[in-house]
Amino acid sequence: MTRVLAISGSLRRDSHNTNLLRAAAEAAGPDVEFLLYDGLKEIPPYDEDDDVHPRPASVSRLGSAIDAADAILFSTPEYNSSIPGQLKNALDWISRPVATNALRNKPVAVVGASTGAFGAVWAQAELRKVLAALGARVLDVELPVAQAHTRFDETGLTDEEIRGALADAIEALAAEVEARQDERTHAVA
Ligand SMILES: Cc1cc2nc3c(=O)[nH]c(=O)nc-3n(C[C@H](O)[C@H](O)[C@H](O)COP(=O)(O)O)c2cc1C
């Protein structure tokens, strides 16, 4: 069983990005346990003076959720050609301490949705850059969902091509998790 933590960069209730992650949960096979993270909004602004033990509970909770997951699937909106500030803020907390941060060596993939014509491609690229800086294993996955407001109805995602791409992204994450487990087994043997 692969445990995938899904983190949406959007805080709003009817977020297309959160809905995209819900669709990913449905598209995932039976061997994937999917958890949608719901605590991003509670994370305080990063302040190095506050980055002491114990860390704020909301930050510890996110760190523990990442620790407990085998892989992370992010879906990010694009805010002014980049990622939303609160997502970056959360990653700044997670990035410390640098050598042992929770995302180091963690398989991660990034998808994204925007109401514009380009499907948050720049935000996805920015997020992959930040995740790489943290030492995550960033998969070569890109899923730009353009005109996101036209892709969902009350039943969820209506686009089969996107559903297939989501399934592929999760499969790629599961394969990376497996490859990493094999590497560890061989290192021990
Ligand atoms: C502050 C702000 C900045 C935005 N900047 C961009 C942008 O640079 N490119 C883009 O394609 N969409 C931009 N949008 C539109 C978002 O793609 C749209 O609001 C999208 O639905 C947000 O994702 P969500 O539905 O998951 O909340 C922006 C929206 C906001 C609120």
Side-chain angles (χ1 to χ4, degrees):
M1 182 67 76
T2 306
R3 283 159 303 172
V4 175
L5 180 70
I7 300 178
S8 172
S10 174
L11 306 178
R12 75 184 186 96
R13 193 182 44 239
D14 297 327
S15 158
H16 302 309
N17 283 278
T18 308
N19 285 337
L20 194 61
L21 292 174
R22 292 196 177 101
E26 286 170 17
D31 294 338
V32 174
E33 186 185 308
F34 215 86
L35 182 73
L36 183 59
Y37 197 71
D38 65 357
L40 206 66
K41 192 168 177 171
E42 281 70 55
I43 295 191
Y46 184 81
D47 178 340
E48 223 176 321
D49 292 337
D50 297 336
D51 195 358
V52 289
H53 282 287
R55 291 182 118 189
S58 55
V59 175
S60 302
R61 192 180 152 226
L62 176 59
S64 302
I66 293 171
D67 278 341
D70 296 312
I72 319 288
L73 179 64
F74 288 90
S75 186
T76 185
E78 189 161 283
Y79 283 0
N80 302 305
S81 305
S82 188
I83 63 177
Q86 184 62 347
L87 177 58
K88 179 62 164 56
N89 180 58
L91 291 172
D92 290 339
W93 276 106
I94 291 301
S95 71
R96 304 289 156 130
V98 175
T100 56
N101 82 73
L103 280 166
R104 185 164 293 281
N105 290 323
K106 190 75 72 176
V108 300
V110 175
V111 298
S114 88
T115 49
F118 300 104
V121 271
W122 292 291
Q124 289 178 58
E126 296 258 308
L127 182 51
R128 287 196 302 272
K129 181 182 77 177
V130 173
L131 292 167
L134 269 61
R137 291 197 178 205
V138 186
L139 264 61
D140 193 14
V141 164
E142 184 177 76
L143 178 52
V145 177
Q147 269 109 33
H149 51 292
T150 68
R151 314 278 181 187
F152 299 90
D153 65 14
E154 57 287 347
T155 64
L157 183 68
T158 54
D159 188 307
E160 290 311 315
E161 208 174 309
I162 295 170
R163 197 186 314 284
L166 285 171
D168 290 348
I170 293 165
E171 212 169 287
L173 275 176
E176 183 66 27
V177 169
E178 204 173 309
R180 205 175 152 225
Q181 276 158 359
D182 285 351
E183 261 173 46
R184 279 187 182 152
T185 310
H186 286 119
V188 171

